[in-house]
Short mmCIF file of all heavy atoms in Angstrom, two decimals:
data_model
loop_
_atom_site.label_atom_id
_atom_site.label_comp_id
_atom_site.label_asym_id
_atom_site.label_seq_id
_atom_site.Cartn_x
_atom_site.Cartn_y
_atom_site.Cartn_z
N PRO A 27 32.97 0.46 -1.76
CA PRO A 27 33.35 0.87 -0.42
C PRO A 27 32.71 -0.14 0.71
O PRO A 27 31.56 -0.53 0.53
CB PRO A 27 32.95 2.26 -0.11
CG PRO A 27 31.77 2.36 -1.11
CD PRO A 27 32.06 1.58 -2.31
N SER A 28 33.45 -0.59 1.67
CA SER A 28 32.90 -1.36 2.69
C SER A 28 32.45 -0.48 3.89
O SER A 28 31.66 -0.81 4.65
CB SER A 28 33.85 -2.51 3.13
OG SER A 28 35.03 -1.91 3.60
N VAL A 29 33.21 0.69 3.96
CA VAL A 29 32.84 1.67 5.03
C VAL A 29 32.14 2.82 4.38
O VAL A 29 32.57 3.44 3.44
CB VAL A 29 34.12 2.18 5.73
CG1 VAL A 29 33.68 3.10 6.91
CG2 VAL A 29 35.00 1.08 6.16
N THR A 30 30.92 3.04 4.81
CA THR A 30 30.16 4.09 4.27
C THR A 30 29.82 5.07 5.44
O THR A 30 30.01 4.78 6.58
CB THR A 30 28.80 3.65 3.64
OG1 THR A 30 27.96 3.00 4.72
CG2 THR A 30 29.00 2.73 2.50
N LYS A 31 29.31 6.28 5.10
CA LYS A 31 28.93 7.31 6.20
C LYS A 31 27.87 6.72 7.03
O LYS A 31 27.83 6.81 8.26
CB LYS A 31 28.58 8.61 5.55
CG LYS A 31 28.21 9.75 6.47
CD LYS A 31 29.38 10.22 7.22
CE LYS A 31 29.08 11.55 7.98
NZ LYS A 31 28.31 11.37 9.16
N ALA A 32 26.88 6.06 6.38
CA ALA A 32 25.78 5.34 7.23
C ALA A 32 26.26 4.44 8.14
O ALA A 32 25.75 4.34 9.32
CB ALA A 32 24.74 4.78 6.18
N LYS A 33 27.19 3.60 7.74
CA LYS A 33 27.81 2.57 8.69
C LYS A 33 28.60 3.28 9.76
O LYS A 33 28.56 2.87 11.00
CB LYS A 33 28.62 1.54 7.90
CG LYS A 33 27.91 0.56 7.14
CD LYS A 33 28.80 -0.32 6.24
CE LYS A 33 28.08 -1.31 5.45
NZ LYS A 33 28.98 -2.24 4.67
N TYR A 34 29.32 4.24 9.38
CA TYR A 34 30.24 4.99 10.40
C TYR A 34 29.32 5.61 11.47
O TYR A 34 29.56 5.65 12.59
CB TYR A 34 31.02 6.10 9.65
CG TYR A 34 31.65 7.07 10.59
CD1 TYR A 34 32.91 6.73 11.09
CD2 TYR A 34 31.15 8.31 10.92
CE1 TYR A 34 33.57 7.60 11.90
CE2 TYR A 34 31.87 9.21 11.71
CZ TYR A 34 33.13 8.81 12.23
OH TYR A 34 33.73 9.65 13.05
N ASP A 35 28.13 6.21 11.04
CA ASP A 35 27.11 6.81 11.93
C ASP A 35 26.56 5.71 12.90
O ASP A 35 26.03 6.08 14.07
CB ASP A 35 26.06 7.46 11.23
CG ASP A 35 26.59 8.84 10.50
OD1 ASP A 35 27.58 9.30 10.86
OD2 ASP A 35 25.92 9.26 9.58
N GLN A 36 26.53 4.50 12.57
CA GLN A 36 25.99 3.39 13.42
C GLN A 36 27.01 3.09 14.49
O GLN A 36 26.58 2.60 15.59
CB GLN A 36 25.65 2.11 12.56
CG GLN A 36 24.52 2.20 11.76
CD GLN A 36 24.29 1.05 10.94
OE1 GLN A 36 24.42 -0.12 11.47
NE2 GLN A 36 23.88 1.11 9.60
N VAL A 37 28.27 3.32 14.23
CA VAL A 37 29.28 2.94 15.25
C VAL A 37 29.27 4.06 16.42
O VAL A 37 29.33 5.19 16.26
CB VAL A 37 30.75 2.91 14.58
CG1 VAL A 37 31.77 2.77 15.55
CG2 VAL A 37 30.80 1.98 13.39
N GLN A 38 29.14 3.41 17.56
CA GLN A 38 29.03 4.19 18.81
C GLN A 38 30.16 4.04 19.78
O GLN A 38 30.60 2.86 19.92
CB GLN A 38 27.72 3.99 19.45
CG GLN A 38 26.51 4.30 18.58
CD GLN A 38 26.41 5.76 18.16
OE1 GLN A 38 26.60 6.60 18.95
NE2 GLN A 38 26.19 5.99 16.96
N THR A 39 30.61 4.99 20.59
CA THR A 39 31.54 4.84 21.73
C THR A 39 31.11 3.73 22.55
O THR A 39 29.82 3.60 22.88
CB THR A 39 31.58 6.17 22.45
OG1 THR A 39 31.97 7.29 21.54
CG2 THR A 39 32.60 6.09 23.60
N GLY A 40 32.01 2.91 22.99
CA GLY A 40 31.73 1.84 23.87
C GLY A 40 31.53 0.49 23.17
O GLY A 40 31.55 -0.60 23.87
N MET A 41 31.43 0.53 21.87
CA MET A 41 31.23 -0.71 21.08
C MET A 41 32.67 -1.43 21.08
O MET A 41 33.65 -0.82 21.18
CB MET A 41 30.84 -0.52 19.63
CG MET A 41 29.36 -0.04 19.50
SD MET A 41 28.92 0.17 17.74
CE MET A 41 27.22 0.00 17.88
N THR A 42 32.51 -2.75 20.98
CA THR A 42 33.74 -3.53 20.79
C THR A 42 34.28 -3.67 19.42
O THR A 42 33.40 -3.29 18.41
CB THR A 42 33.52 -5.02 21.31
OG1 THR A 42 32.54 -5.73 20.44
CG2 THR A 42 33.05 -4.96 22.75
N VAL A 43 35.39 -3.99 19.18
CA VAL A 43 35.94 -4.21 17.81
C VAL A 43 35.07 -5.23 17.03
O VAL A 43 34.67 -4.95 15.90
CB VAL A 43 37.38 -4.80 17.77
CG1 VAL A 43 37.84 -5.11 16.37
CG2 VAL A 43 38.25 -3.67 18.44
N SER A 44 34.63 -6.27 17.64
CA SER A 44 33.75 -7.29 16.93
C SER A 44 32.42 -6.86 16.53
O SER A 44 31.92 -7.01 15.42
CB SER A 44 33.73 -8.66 17.61
OG SER A 44 33.08 -8.41 18.95
N GLU A 45 31.78 -5.84 17.42
CA GLU A 45 30.56 -5.27 17.07
C GLU A 45 30.71 -4.29 15.88
O GLU A 45 29.86 -4.36 15.01
CB GLU A 45 29.98 -4.59 18.25
CG GLU A 45 29.63 -5.38 19.39
CD GLU A 45 29.21 -4.61 20.67
OE1 GLU A 45 29.83 -3.54 20.95
OE2 GLU A 45 28.25 -5.02 21.36
N ILE A 46 31.83 -3.57 15.91
CA ILE A 46 32.06 -2.70 14.81
C ILE A 46 32.35 -3.42 13.48
O ILE A 46 31.76 -3.08 12.34
CB ILE A 46 33.12 -1.67 15.02
CG1 ILE A 46 32.68 -0.86 16.24
CG2 ILE A 46 33.57 -0.81 13.83
CD1 ILE A 46 33.81 0.07 16.80
N GLU A 47 33.02 -4.57 13.54
CA GLU A 47 33.33 -5.35 12.39
C GLU A 47 32.04 -5.98 11.69
O GLU A 47 31.97 -6.10 10.47
CB GLU A 47 34.29 -6.49 12.68
CG GLU A 47 35.76 -5.90 12.92
CD GLU A 47 36.72 -6.97 13.45
OE1 GLU A 47 36.29 -8.08 13.96
OE2 GLU A 47 37.94 -6.67 13.31
N LYS A 48 31.04 -6.22 12.58
CA LYS A 48 29.83 -6.73 12.09
C LYS A 48 29.06 -5.66 11.40
O LYS A 48 28.50 -5.91 10.30
CB LYS A 48 28.90 -7.22 13.20
CG LYS A 48 29.39 -8.47 13.71
CD LYS A 48 28.45 -8.95 14.92
CE LYS A 48 29.04 -10.27 15.54
NZ LYS A 48 28.33 -10.62 16.75
N ILE A 49 29.10 -4.40 11.75
CA ILE A 49 28.57 -3.26 11.12
C ILE A 49 29.17 -3.02 9.75
O ILE A 49 28.57 -2.85 8.70
CB ILE A 49 28.51 -1.99 12.03
CG1 ILE A 49 27.61 -2.21 13.23
CG2 ILE A 49 28.19 -0.79 11.17
CD1 ILE A 49 27.65 -1.22 14.26
N ILE A 50 30.50 -2.82 9.84
CA ILE A 50 31.36 -2.51 8.61
C ILE A 50 31.35 -3.76 7.56
O ILE A 50 31.28 -3.48 6.38
CB ILE A 50 32.79 -2.26 8.95
CG1 ILE A 50 32.89 -1.04 9.97
CG2 ILE A 50 33.64 -1.91 7.73
CD1 ILE A 50 32.23 0.22 9.63
N GLY A 51 31.28 -4.93 8.11
CA GLY A 51 31.32 -6.04 7.15
C GLY A 51 32.59 -6.69 6.85
O GLY A 51 32.77 -7.64 6.13
N LYS A 52 33.70 -6.20 7.49
CA LYS A 52 35.05 -6.82 7.31
C LYS A 52 35.87 -6.42 8.56
O LYS A 52 35.62 -5.33 9.26
CB LYS A 52 35.67 -6.36 6.00
CG LYS A 52 36.17 -4.79 6.09
CD LYS A 52 36.93 -4.55 4.77
CE LYS A 52 37.56 -3.14 4.80
NZ LYS A 52 38.37 -2.96 3.65
N PRO A 53 36.94 -7.16 8.84
CA PRO A 53 37.83 -6.97 9.97
C PRO A 53 38.62 -5.64 9.78
O PRO A 53 38.95 -5.31 8.61
CB PRO A 53 38.85 -8.02 10.00
CG PRO A 53 38.25 -9.06 9.12
CD PRO A 53 37.23 -8.41 8.16
N GLY A 54 38.91 -4.91 10.86
CA GLY A 54 39.75 -3.76 10.73
C GLY A 54 41.20 -4.26 10.68
O GLY A 54 41.56 -5.25 11.18
N GLU A 55 41.97 -3.22 10.25
CA GLU A 55 43.50 -3.49 10.36
C GLU A 55 43.97 -2.87 11.69
O GLU A 55 43.83 -1.75 11.94
CB GLU A 55 44.20 -2.84 9.19
CG GLU A 55 43.72 -3.45 7.83
CD GLU A 55 44.51 -2.58 6.69
OE1 GLU A 55 45.49 -1.95 6.88
OE2 GLU A 55 43.76 -2.65 5.58
N SER A 56 44.57 -3.69 12.46
CA SER A 56 45.07 -3.35 13.74
C SER A 56 46.53 -2.82 13.64
O SER A 56 47.37 -3.53 13.14
CB SER A 56 44.90 -4.33 14.83
OG SER A 56 45.46 -4.13 16.08
N SER A 57 46.71 -1.67 14.33
CA SER A 57 48.22 -1.33 14.56
C SER A 57 48.60 -2.11 15.82
O SER A 57 47.79 -2.76 16.56
CB SER A 57 48.32 0.12 14.84
OG SER A 57 47.53 0.51 15.92
N ALA A 58 49.84 -2.09 16.13
CA ALA A 58 50.46 -2.66 17.27
C ALA A 58 49.76 -2.06 18.45
O ALA A 58 49.32 -0.84 18.39
CB ALA A 58 51.88 -2.68 17.39
N GLU A 59 49.64 -2.76 19.52
CA GLU A 59 49.08 -2.17 20.75
C GLU A 59 49.96 -0.96 21.12
O GLU A 59 51.28 -1.06 21.10
CB GLU A 59 49.16 -3.15 21.91
CG GLU A 59 48.00 -4.21 21.67
CD GLU A 59 47.85 -5.07 22.93
OE1 GLU A 59 48.33 -4.75 24.05
OE2 GLU A 59 47.25 -6.09 22.70
N ILE A 60 49.44 0.19 21.40
CA ILE A 60 50.16 1.32 21.53
C ILE A 60 49.78 2.04 22.88
O ILE A 60 48.60 1.76 23.35
CB ILE A 60 50.10 2.28 20.33
CG1 ILE A 60 48.77 2.65 19.99
CG2 ILE A 60 50.92 1.72 19.19
CD1 ILE A 60 48.46 3.71 19.05
N SER A 61 50.38 3.09 23.13
CA SER A 61 49.93 4.03 24.19
C SER A 61 49.57 5.40 23.61
O SER A 61 50.34 5.83 22.76
CB SER A 61 50.90 4.21 25.32
OG SER A 61 50.55 5.09 26.34
N PHE A 62 48.38 5.86 23.74
CA PHE A 62 47.97 7.22 23.18
C PHE A 62 47.26 8.04 24.20
O PHE A 62 46.84 7.51 25.26
CB PHE A 62 47.16 6.97 21.96
CG PHE A 62 46.10 6.07 22.15
CD1 PHE A 62 44.83 6.69 22.60
CD2 PHE A 62 45.97 4.74 21.80
CE1 PHE A 62 43.64 5.97 22.73
CE2 PHE A 62 44.85 3.94 21.99
CZ PHE A 62 43.64 4.56 22.44
N THR A 63 47.19 9.25 23.90
CA THR A 63 46.32 10.15 24.62
C THR A 63 45.33 10.85 23.72
O THR A 63 45.60 11.07 22.55
CB THR A 63 47.13 11.24 25.46
OG1 THR A 63 47.82 12.00 24.44
CG2 THR A 63 48.17 10.69 26.35
N ILE A 64 44.17 11.07 24.27
CA ILE A 64 43.13 11.74 23.49
C ILE A 64 42.77 13.09 24.18
O ILE A 64 42.52 13.11 25.42
CB ILE A 64 41.80 10.85 23.31
CG1 ILE A 64 42.19 9.64 22.62
CG2 ILE A 64 40.81 11.61 22.57
CD1 ILE A 64 41.11 8.53 22.64
N PRO A 65 42.81 14.23 23.57
CA PRO A 65 42.53 15.54 24.21
C PRO A 65 41.12 15.46 24.90
O PRO A 65 40.23 14.97 24.22
CB PRO A 65 42.50 16.48 23.08
CG PRO A 65 43.39 15.89 21.97
CD PRO A 65 43.15 14.37 22.13
N GLY A 66 41.01 15.86 26.06
CA GLY A 66 39.84 15.93 26.80
C GLY A 66 39.45 14.74 27.48
O GLY A 66 38.48 14.55 28.25
N VAL A 67 40.28 13.57 27.27
CA VAL A 67 39.98 12.29 28.03
C VAL A 67 41.12 12.14 29.00
O VAL A 67 42.29 12.28 28.74
CB VAL A 67 40.04 11.11 27.02
CG1 VAL A 67 39.94 9.85 27.73
CG2 VAL A 67 38.92 11.28 25.95
#
Side-chain angles (χ1 to χ4, degrees):
S28 58
V29 187
T30 62
K31 181 71 166 79
K33 289 179 181 179
Y34 174 82
D35 290 341
Q36 291 178 38
V37 173
Q38 301 297 316
T39 302
M41 288 184 160
T42 64
V43 173
S44 61
E45 289 172 326
I46 295 170
E47 289 174 341
K48 287 179 186 175
I49 292 169
I50 303 300
K52 73 175 189 176
E55 296 176 26
S56 172
S57 61
E59 287 183 21
I60 57 171
S61 179
F62 57 83
T63 59
I64 300 171
V67 176

